[in-house]
Amino acid sequence: MAEAPILSPQTDSFLAAHPPKDGWKVYQYDATLTIQGNLRYLLDCLRDRHPEALKRRFVVKDTTDTLQECLGKTHVPDKNTEWDLRHDLDSDGWTGLVEIEWRGHPIHYYSYDIFGGMHPYEINLVATKSNSALTEFQSVVEDYGRKRAKAGQRKILVVNGPSIPAPNVSWDEVILPPGMLEEIRTNVDGFFKSRERYQHLGIPYRRGFLFTGSPGCGKTLTLKAMASTLEATIITMHARAKVEEGDVEYAFYLASKNVPAVLLFEDLDKLVQSEHISLSYFLNILDGLKVMDGVLVIATSNDPGKLDPALLHRPSRFDRVWRFSLPKYEQRLALLERKGTHYFSKAALEEAAQNANGFSMAYVQEIIVNALLECAHANIVPSDPNLLRSVETLKKQRKSASKEDESLADRENLGFSPSPKRGVRELLHSPDGNDGE
């Protein structure tokens, strides 16, 4: 915490209301401490554990809502007012003023946003007359946030966005070259079952895996199966949103507090090349400046050639690398049979698999989807010609893509992060988000 808050009319007003001559100390939380201290759960912690500590509150919830919606969530009850659960239940953040009394000492929190440029800048201030009371209450809020995250293990915790339900994907749904899936599962399961063995051998109990390869070849589906079956906390971040160093630091912090944990970084090449993340900072965390026993770090990259050699050529960072290549005939046929046996003949499925050379697994799956959609639109029963025509349609579509990274496989590779916009295609054939690769 810094004792020199950023000056603004709101800060000036808060400082004026808490003068040093009256014994007040005013601090500003930086972004990292705000996240690590779980301040977004302040109101929920008071509601669930210490409602008697609340003296006054004037808050707006969900600051990304429209102004009209925000006004509907603004309320200023007095200290005797019952909790309004419709407004105060399970918040993901708040802005405004919260005044409490802890062990007889007043503590006042004030949070507001400064808008400038493309992103708002959050300011968090706290005023207290007792540092010991503030420290004690902060630990209560932080502990509440950790236990709440732990209770939601069957969700994937998204550092810079709302948590999302863990997918319902089994290992049987993952189709990879012979031996590759077994090798990945052996390494993953072996890590989480071998804590005592690691300690006995004096080996740091952490590992790093890297999944590389073209979009749509099974990286994300493998991760979904892992997230669905592992008894571990799964933590990731919304790669398409603005990601800063504080988000990365909090991801590692959250993983270390919720072991055993899997920490996922999708599109690592894009992450470490962004303007807000320095490679040296990311490397320092991976090198273990902060010990993280029980954390498995898994990163994906569609283009490992863009990764700095410093990330790849040091085993302590990523000690295993698996390449997810375009599927061979056997994998293409296996997926087509799994998805299309009820609609098409074995001979047609084999021909389609043969003609789909060069397709990613996402495109192979789209062969079935596209054929069934054609039949649905025409109100006809699916037949073999629909399947074979679908292959040719997708071949033309691949050729007409303006550039490779705009292919259907790439557009559907949404991973674990919420999609900014759900497209018509996704709604038609992937309502639960589990079909893509």
Side-chain angles (χ1 to χ4, degrees):
M1 286 186 295
E3 279 200 74
I6 293 177
L7 296 181
S8 69
Q10 298 97 319
T11 296
D12 290 344
S13 177
F14 190 74
L15 289 171
H18 302 87
K21 65 182 180 63
D22 291 343
W24 289 101
K25 298 180 181 67
V26 179
Y27 300 96
Q28 178 182 330
Y29 286 75
D30 62 23
T32 299
L33 189 57
T34 297
I35 295 172
Q36 292 183 357
N38 287 314
L39 284 185
R40 62 176 175 162
Y41 294 134
L42 173 66
L43 287 171
D44 295 343
C45 178
L46 288 167
R47 178 203 66 203
D48 294 340
R49 291 191 178 181
H50 299 284
E52 77 288 347
L54 179 69
K55 300 305 175 185
R56 189 163 73 100
R57 75 189 189 277
F58 176 80
V59 297
V60 177
K61 309 294 274 304
D62 299 328
T63 57
T64 57
D65 289 344
T66 65
L67 178 60
Q68 182 176 1
E69 291 171 329
C70 283
L71 291 174
K73 298 179 180 180
T74 306
H75 42 104
V76 196
D78 61 37
K79 64 180 181 180
N80 296 317
T81 300
E82 295 293 327
W83 286 101
D84 183 347
L85 296 182
R86 183 171 62 89
H87 290 144
D88 293 329
L89 183 63
D90 295 336
S91 64
D92 287 326
W94 58 275
T95 58
L97 177 69
V98 177
E99 297 182 357
I100 73 167
E101 185 175 295
W102 188 254
R103 309 295 189 231
H105 300 284
I107 303 175
H108 297 171
Y109 290 90
Y110 184 42
S111 176
Y112 67 94
D113 290 332
I114 294 178
F115 291 88
M118 296 180 61
H119 302 280
Y121 185 83
E122 183 178 341
I123 303 295
N124 293 285
L125 306 174
V126 61
T128 183
K129 291 187 175 182
S130 170
N131 284 338
S132 61
L134 176 60
T135 300
E136 181 181 341
F137 182 68
Q138 281 182 176
S139 67
V140 170
V141 177
E142 185 175 354
D143 178 71
Y144 172 89
R146 284 200 304 266
K147 290 183 177 178
R148 179 158 154 171
K150 194 74 172 178
Q153 274 192 11
R154 295 329 301 161
K155 289 186 176 182
I156 296 173
L157 306 182
V158 182
V159 170
N160 55 344
S163 298
I164 56 179
N168 183 22
V169 177
S170 72
W171 286 111
D172 291 338
E173 297 178 57
V174 182
I175 300 174
L176 295 175
M180 182 173 173
L181 179 60
E182 292 75 12
E183 185 178 357
I184 292 174
R185 291 191 63 181
T186 297
N187 276 270
V188 172
D189 294 339
F191 173 76
F192 287 109
K193 294 178 181 179
S194 304
R195 183 186 188 97
E196 294 183 359
R197 185 63 174 166
Y198 274 69
Q199 293 175 339
H200 177 72
L201 296 173
I203 303 172
Y205 186 48
R206 53 167 294 184
R207 294 197 70 183
F209 298 160
L210 179 63
F211 293 170
T212 72
S214 301
C217 289
K219 299 188 299 296
T220 297
L221 190 62
T222 301
L223 293 177
K224 286 182 176 181
M226 195 181 302
S228 180
T229 57
L230 280 178
E231 291 297 326
T233 305
I234 311 296
I235 300 165
T236 188
M237 60 178 53
H238 189 342
R240 295 189 181 185
K242 177 184 177 183
V243 179
E244 297 182 340
E245 289 184 353
D247 298 317
V248 176
E249 184 173 349
Y250 180 55
F252 280 92
Y253 171 83
L254 192 60
S256 68
K257 294 295 183 181
N258 292 278
V259 294
V262 177
L263 183 53
L264 303 176
F265 291 102
E266 290 194 280
D267 295 326
L268 180 62
D269 47 312
K270 296 179 182 178
L271 176 67
V272 298
Q273 292 171 3
S274 68
E275 60 178 310
H276 305 289
I277 304 293
S278 69
L279 178 61
S280 60
Y281 175 85
F282 193 80
L283 293 179
N284 284 338
I285 295 182
L286 284 180
D287 283 342
L289 294 181
K290 297 181 179 180
V291 178
M292 294 175 297
D293 279 355
V295 177
L296 172 61
V297 179
I298 303 180
T300 71
S301 174
N302 294 335
D303 190 357
K306 293 183 179 179
L307 290 174
D308 192 290
L311 278 169
L312 301 176
H313 298 161
R314 186 164 174 176
S316 63
R317 291 162 183 167
F318 295 105
D319 49 68
R320 289 303 307 269
V321 179
W322 282 279
R323 178 167 183 79
F324 290 69
S325 302
L326 290 172
K328 297 183 181 300
Y329 169 78
E330 291 77 15
Q331 286 89 59
R332 299 196 298 270
L333 178 59
L335 181 56
L336 288 173
E337 288 180 334
R338 176 172 296 173
K339 299 290 184 178
T341 296
H342 295 301
Y343 306 104
F344 310 108
S345 70
K346 180 176 177 59
L349 292 169
E350 291 175 346
E351 184 176 349
Q354 190 68 46
N355 293 340
N357 185 40
F359 279 31
S360 69
M361 290 297 268
Y363 254 109
V364 173
Q365 177 170 278
E366 188 67 11
I367 295 172
I368 301 293
V369 174
N370 187 63
L372 295 180
L373 283 175
E374 178 184 317
C375 297
H377 294 161
N379 194 26
I380 60 176
V381 176
S383 62
D384 291 351
N386 300 117
L387 179 71
L388 301 179
R389 186 162 52 248
S390 177
V391 177
E392 297 307 313
T393 298
L394 291 177
K395 280 185 177 181
K396 294 178 182 178
Q397 181 171 318
R398 291 175 72 241
K399 291 180 180 180
S400 64
S402 60
K403 55 183 181 179
E404 186 176 348
D405 62 359
E406 291 180 352
S407 68
L408 176 65
D410 196 25
R411 291 199 303 272
E412 288 191 345
N413 189 25
L414 300 179
F416 290 96
S417 303
S419 173
K421 296 181 180 179
R422 288 179 61 83
V424 175
R425 297 291 290 172
E426 185 186 0
L427 288 171
L428 283 172
H429 72 272
S430 185
D432 60 2
N434 291 335
D435 284 346
E437 293 227 51

